[in-house]
């Protein structure tokens, strides 16, 4: 916080103190006023005043006490002189002159009647009843609300001051942008050296940074800097990390905020924040604006229009954003960098050339990129002298994103710390990979009955046997019946780096998923609820084969998949009810046929199934070496039927489509 802000605080508190002092001053003066009535007892009041008929009137306050006013003719009496006019020659004070506690109103009225029974009505004491509050209560009634308002106001101003560039909770800055500006004090320390993999994506973004540093090299050729760059990719692939690298490398003002910060319940606030954001960017040009999760504000206007109406606040915010990025006004020197994992949700007008000229697509890293990412995240770790093979770790983590790899390295360090080790070893990384894949630590002390453990063992053995003899299924490396996370057992596969899959590969994957349920039915003659996850996966894959990939001959080579995602906003499916029933029938036929083939395969290899299940009950974890001893050497992928050892019966699952 600057010295200027610190100097403002004392002046504000001085002003608040003056206001409070002016407010309570009348009450203080009233409490110390010299004209305040003199308190007396009841006996003195009765003997010196009431019996002598010296009382002119009584003001009964709150039915508790009475203020006494003395008659004018008794002003010169020695008893009343000091109280009614203390200075000789001055007129009588207006009063009240005395104050007496009355006990009760009934007793007071009784005493007055007894003392005045012989007096005419014109000379009787005037009796008034009033209700008053004390000065302290009045003071608190003014002071407490004022203090509460001051505290609330100071809290709001403090929150708005800590909220970035003027947005926050302040009522005066409610329509201002909440973007955070990167300055020399809080600039990003991440550079392109810290971004591993993503070679093509880095090249496209580095070109923009280079344009900002040396624009003459491009402008002399007639090139124009892109107005906007949108980074699209699955979660965890490094979209925000790439933006942080741009902030660290560009050496220009960098404004960052989330797309949800534009969306408010109040009409017009989002559009006002967009205008204020670009106003700040134009004043600091050349400047980069980074909008993370832009789908929160850039969602297609055609979706939900029936429910939201034409004057939806989100739509007006998007319209203002479209105008600011590329509208009638000039917007030179401002580059908009955006990131999202839902590009199919964005409005087409936002993605057109002139607004976002460059689209950068990030994908899950390949083996070489994963190795480079491991090298980046292994730098800060204290590794064992034997070292850690990043290439081997990359080979064991197919389909992992950069965020997953960072999590594995952190979990490995935590495993080493849990062992009270001084260094991180290779076994820690293997444990971390297992934890990330299975979703938790091993629960070796979880109470499972022997009957349930036997069912789990045969279930996992069924998965292992079926996937071992089907060559198009990913290689199996380990089977376990130790609970992890929500699962009671698991089979670990090593997915191959494939871009496409054939219909036969999909069918064999369905058979492998049904292996656990088929093994339970074959051995125990009944089914359990343990196959819920398998059935969900099988159903999803079967519908994809029939309705999306065009693998079913009866449905034909058509696909009902919508890459734009517009089907989410429609009330009907893109096919008729008859076609829907046909799809359901074909999916059911596909799954039941695969289940029948899986059952036949397990019947032929029942001995291996029981042997593997027995070993699982004894060892709890069976690795690839033990699997080869029981099931034999696994055939290479795409091996034709009949090739292999004569004592093995390979069942090739035919295409049942």
């Amino acid at each position: 916080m600057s010295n200027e802000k610190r100097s403002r605080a004392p002046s504000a508190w001085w002003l608040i103190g003056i206001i409070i002092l002016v407010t309570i001053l009348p009450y203080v003066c009233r409490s110390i006023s010299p004209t305040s009535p003199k308190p007396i007892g009841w006996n003195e009041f009765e003997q010196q005043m009431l019996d002598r008929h010296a009382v002119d009137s009584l003001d009964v306050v709150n039915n508790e006490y009475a203020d006494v006013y003395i008659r004018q003719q008794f002003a010169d009496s020695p008893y009343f002189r000091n109280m009614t006019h203390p200075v000789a020659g001055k007129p009588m004070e207006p009063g009240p002159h005395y104050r007496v506690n009355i006990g009760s109103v009934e007793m007071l009225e009784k005493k007055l009647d007894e003392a005045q029974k012989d007096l005419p009505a014109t000379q009787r004491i005037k009796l008034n009843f009033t209700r008053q509050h004390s000065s302290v209560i009045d003071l608190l009634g003014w002071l407490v609300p004022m203090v509460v308002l001051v505290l609330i106001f100071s809290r709001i101003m403090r929150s708005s001051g800590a909220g970035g560039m003027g947005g926050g909770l302040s009522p005066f800055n409610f329509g201002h942008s909440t973007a955070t500006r990167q300055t020399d004090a809080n600039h990003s320390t991440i550079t392109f050296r810290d971004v591993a993999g993503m070679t093509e994506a880095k090249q496209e973004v580095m070109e923009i940074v280079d344009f900002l540093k040396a624009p003459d090299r491009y402008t002399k050729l007639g090139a124009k800097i892109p107005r906007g760059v949108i980074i699209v990719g699955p979660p965890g692939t490094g979209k925000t990390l790439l933006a942080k690298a741009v902030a660290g490398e560009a050496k220009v003002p960098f404004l960052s905020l989330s797309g949800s910060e534009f969306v408010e319940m109040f009409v017009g606030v989002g559009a006002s924040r967009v205008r204020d954001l670009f106003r700040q960017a134009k004043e600091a040009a050349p400047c980069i604006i980074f909008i993370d999760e832009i789908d929160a504000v850039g969602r297609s206007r055609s979706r939900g229009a029936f429910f939201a109406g034409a004057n939806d606040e989100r739509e007006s915010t998007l319209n203002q954003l479209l105008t600011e990025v590329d509208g009638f006004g000039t917007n030179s020197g401002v580059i908009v960098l955006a990131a999202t994992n839902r590009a199919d949700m964005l409005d087409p007008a936002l993605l057109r050339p002139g607004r976002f000229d460059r689209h950068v697509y990030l994908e899950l890293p390949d083996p070489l990129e994963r190795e480079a990412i491991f090298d980046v995240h292994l730098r800060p770790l204290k590794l064992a002298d034997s070292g850690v093979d990043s290439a081997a770790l990359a080979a064991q983590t197919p389909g992992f994103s950069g965020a997953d790899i960072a999590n594995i390295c952190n979990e490995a360090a935590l495993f080493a710390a849990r062992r009270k080790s001084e260094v991180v070893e290779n076994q820690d990384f293997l444990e971390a990979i297992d934890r990330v894949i299975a979703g938790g630590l091993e629960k070796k002390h979880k109470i499972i009955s022997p009957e349930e453990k036997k069912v789990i063992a045969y279930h996992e053995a069924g998965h292992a046997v079926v996937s071992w003899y089907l060559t198009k299924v990913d290689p199996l490396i380990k089977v376990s019946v130790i609970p992890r996370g929500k699962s009671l057992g698991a089979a670990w596969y090593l997915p191959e780096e494939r871009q496409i899959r054939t219909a036969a590969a999909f069918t064999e994957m369905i058979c492998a998923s049904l292996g656990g349920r088929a093994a339970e039915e074959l051995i125990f003659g009944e089914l359990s609820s343990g196959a819920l996850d398998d059935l969900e996966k099988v159903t999803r894959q079967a519908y994809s084969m029939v309705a999306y990939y065009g693998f079913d001959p009866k449905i034909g080579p058509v696909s009902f998949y919508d890459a734009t995602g517009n089907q989410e906003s429609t009330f009907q499916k893109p096919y008729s009810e008859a076609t829907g029933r046909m799809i359901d029938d074909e999916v059911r036929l596909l799954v039941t046929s695969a289940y029948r083939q899986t059952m036949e395969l397990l019947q032929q290899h029942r001995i291996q199934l029981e042997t593997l299940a027995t070993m699982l009950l004894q060892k709890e974890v069976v690795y690839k070496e033990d699997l080869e001893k029981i099931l034999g050497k696994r055939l290479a992928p795409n091996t034709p039927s009949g090739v292999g050892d004569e004592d093995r019966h390979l069942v090739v699952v035919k295409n049942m489509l």
Side-chain angles (χ1 to χ4, degrees):
M1 185 163 42
S2 64
N3 294 330
E4 181 181 0
K5 290 184 178 180
R6 292 177 180 174
S7 62
R8 289 178 183 173
S11 62
W13 284 110
W14 273 110
L15 179 61
I16 295 171
I18 292 173
I19 295 174
I20 295 176
L21 181 61
V22 172
T23 303
I24 67 175
L25 187 60
Y27 299 96
V28 175
C29 294
R30 187 184 304 171
S31 63
I32 64 175
S33 174
T35 61
S36 59
K38 177 184 177 182
I40 60 175
W42 177 262
N43 291 333
E44 184 179 359
F45 167 73
E46 186 176 11
Q47 296 173 5
Q48 299 293 335
M49 301 177 191
L50 195 58
D51 292 345
R52 297 170 59 184
H53 305 294
V55 180
D56 180 65
S57 63
L58 291 175
D59 287 345
V60 179
V61 181
N62 299 334
N63 295 335
E64 297 176 357
Y65 61 88
D67 289 335
V68 182
Y69 294 83
I70 302 301
R71 295 181 186 274
Q72 182 69 33
Q73 57 268 31
F74 290 90
D76 295 330
S77 174
Y79 180 81
F80 300 108
R81 181 185 298 277
N82 294 333
M83 195 64 204
T84 56
H85 54 301
V87 180
K90 283 191 175 183
M92 182 178 177
E93 295 290 340
H97 306 104
Y98 297 94
R99 178 169 294 174
V100 59
N101 292 325
I102 63 175
S104 66
V105 177
E106 292 79 7
M107 187 186 73
L108 175 64
E109 292 177 343
K110 182 179 179 181
K111 292 293 183 181
L112 292 178
D113 291 339
E114 292 177 355
Q116 304 177 104
K117 60 182 178 179
D118 297 332
L119 294 178
T122 56
Q123 297 182 9
R124 287 179 175 242
I125 299 173
K126 305 177 187 67
L127 191 60
N128 302 317
F129 292 91
T130 61
R131 185 167 294 276
Q132 296 180 0
H133 296 288
S134 66
S135 299
V136 176
I137 295 177
D138 292 340
L139 175 61
L140 293 177
W142 281 91
L143 189 58
V144 171
M146 181 177 294
V147 172
V148 172
L149 290 176
V150 168
L151 293 177
I152 293 175
F153 183 77
S154 61
R155 176 65 178 175
I156 292 176
M157 296 303 296
R158 191 181 300 113
S159 301
S160 65
M165 296 189 61
L169 300 175
S170 174
F172 307 106
N173 298 328
F174 199 70
H176 290 191
S177 170
T178 58
T180 302
R181 180 169 179 173
Q182 300 282 348
T183 61
D184 294 337
N186 65 340
H187 70 281
S188 175
T189 58
I190 298 176
T191 62
F192 288 123
R193 180 175 176 270
D194 301 315
V195 182
M198 299 186 291
T199 306
E200 295 80 6
K202 281 198 300 184
Q203 182 177 357
E204 292 191 79
V205 177
M206 289 172 63
E207 187 175 285
I208 296 176
V209 177
D210 189 47
F211 194 106
L212 293 173
K213 292 181 178 179
D216 296 338
R217 190 185 352 166
Y218 298 88
T219 54
K220 68 181 181 181
L221 299 176
K224 297 180 180 179
I225 189 170
R227 290 179 179 268
V229 178
I230 185 167
I231 306 174
V232 182
T237 50
K239 301 182 292 297
T240 306
L241 179 65
L242 195 60
K244 290 181 180 179
V246 173
E249 295 275 0
K251 306 301 181 184
V252 297
F254 191 91
L255 304 177
S256 62
L257 75 166
S258 172
S260 60
E261 296 183 36
F262 291 115
V263 182
E264 289 286 351
M265 63 179 293
F266 301 104
V267 177
V269 174
S272 175
R273 289 183 176 178
V274 172
R275 288 191 296 268
D276 187 67
L277 172 66
F278 280 86
R279 179 189 59 78
Q280 296 177 18
K282 292 174 185 177
E283 292 175 354
C287 178
I288 297 178
I289 298 175
F290 174 60
I291 305 177
D292 199 5
E293 305 297 345
I294 195 175
D295 53 277
V297 67
R299 187 170 300 177
S300 178
R301 289 170 288 184
S302 62
R303 299 186 182 184
F306 178 78
F307 301 101
N311 295 323
D312 181 37
E313 169 65 11
R314 190 190 303 271
E315 182 174 334
S316 63
T317 305
L318 174 59
N319 291 336
Q320 186 65 43
L321 180 62
L322 296 176
T323 304
E324 293 290 345
V325 175
D326 182 26
F328 191 78
T330 58
N331 191 20
S332 59
V334 178
I335 301 175
V336 182
L337 190 65
T340 180
N341 53 13
R342 299 293 303 274
D344 57 305
M345 303 286 291
L346 297 179
D347 194 276
L350 189 65
L351 299 177
R352 72 161 175 81
R355 290 198 171 102
F356 285 99
D357 306 279
R358 182 165 295 183
H359 297 185
V360 179
Y361 294 95
L362 302 183
E363 298 179 349
L364 294 174
D366 57 31
L368 294 178
E369 292 175 337
R370 291 199 300 272
E371 182 179 353
I373 295 173
F374 266 111
D375 291 335
V376 170
H377 293 290
L378 289 176
R379 291 175 193 165
L381 300 184
K382 188 176 181 181
L383 304 178
D385 295 335
S386 58
V388 175
D389 190 357
S390 57
L393 295 176
Q396 297 181 36
T397 53
F400 279 47
S401 64
D404 294 329
I405 294 175
N407 187 28
I408 287 175
C409 294
N410 183 63
E411 289 291 341
L414 295 178
F415 272 110
R418 192 177 294 119
R419 294 187 297 104
K420 295 181 172 55
S421 175
E422 298 294 332
V423 293
V424 185
E425 300 178 356
N426 190 63
Q427 183 62 30
D428 297 321
F429 286 93
L430 298 180
E431 291 287 343
I433 292 174
D434 289 346
R435 174 173 184 173
V436 172
I437 293 176
L441 292 172
E442 291 184 349
K443 300 178 181 179
K444 295 184 178 181
H445 301 290
K446 188 180 180 75
I447 300 176
I448 300 177
S449 64
E451 294 78 10
E452 288 182 333
K453 193 168 186 179
K454 186 175 182 181
V455 173
I456 295 171
Y458 275 96
H459 183 100
E460 299 303 332
H463 285 304
V465 171
V466 175
S467 60
W468 190 268
Y469 290 118
L470 299 179
T471 59
K472 291 182 174 60
V473 180
D474 295 326
L476 182 67
I477 59 175
K478 184 173 69 171
V479 185
S480 172
V481 293
I482 300 176
R484 279 180 178 267
K486 296 182 179 180
S487 63
L488 299 176
W492 272 260
Y493 298 88
L494 189 61
E496 298 179 356
E497 306 287 340
R498 297 177 181 175
Q499 302 299 324
I500 59 175
R501 288 185 182 272
T502 62
F506 272 101
T507 306
E508 292 193 2
M509 289 171 59
I510 292 177
C511 291
S513 299
L514 293 172
R517 178 185 172 95
E520 292 182 25
E521 184 177 1
L522 177 63
I523 300 300
F524 303 104
E526 59 180 358
L527 302 174
S528 70
S529 60
L532 174 61
D533 184 66
D534 300 328
L535 296 179
E536 180 185 359
K537 186 190 306 181
V538 164
T539 305
R540 185 169 58 250
Q541 290 178 346
Y543 270 101
S544 299
M545 294 175 64
V546 175
Y548 293 161
Y549 298 126
F551 288 159
D552 189 80
K554 191 172 182 179
I555 300 298
V558 294
S559 176
F560 300 106
Y561 179 75
D562 183 16
T564 62
N566 290 329
Q567 290 182 4
E568 298 178 2
S569 58
T570 59
F571 292 98
Q572 60 183 7
K573 296 181 179 180
Y575 45 80
S576 64
E577 293 184 4
T579 303
R581 285 193 295 270
M582 190 184 304
I583 292 175
D584 294 338
D585 294 339
E586 292 301 308
V587 167
R588 190 175 293 105
L589 177 62
L590 172 62
V591 174
T592 53
S593 300
Y595 187 76
R596 185 173 59 253
Q597 296 288 336
T598 303
M599 185 67 73
E600 294 176 359
L601 177 61
L602 290 176
Q603 287 174 347
Q604 295 184 20
H605 297 279
R606 180 164 181 165
I607 297 177
Q608 290 88 338
L609 173 66
E610 294 178 348
T611 305
L612 179 57
T614 303
M615 181 178 289
L616 280 172
L617 291 173
Q618 295 174 353
K619 302 177 63 175
E620 292 188 333
V621 180
V622 176
Y623 293 94
K624 183 179 179 180
E625 295 76 11
D626 296 323
L627 292 173
E628 289 181 348
K629 294 178 182 178
I630 297 174
L631 306 177
K633 197 75 173 177
R634 189 171 190 262
L635 294 181
N638 300 323
T639 301
S641 177
V643 177
D645 299 335
E646 295 181 356
D647 57 343
R648 295 177 54 199
H649 303 280
L650 176 64
V651 177
V652 179
V653 179
K654 301 180 180 179
N655 188 357
M656 289 83 67
L657 301 179

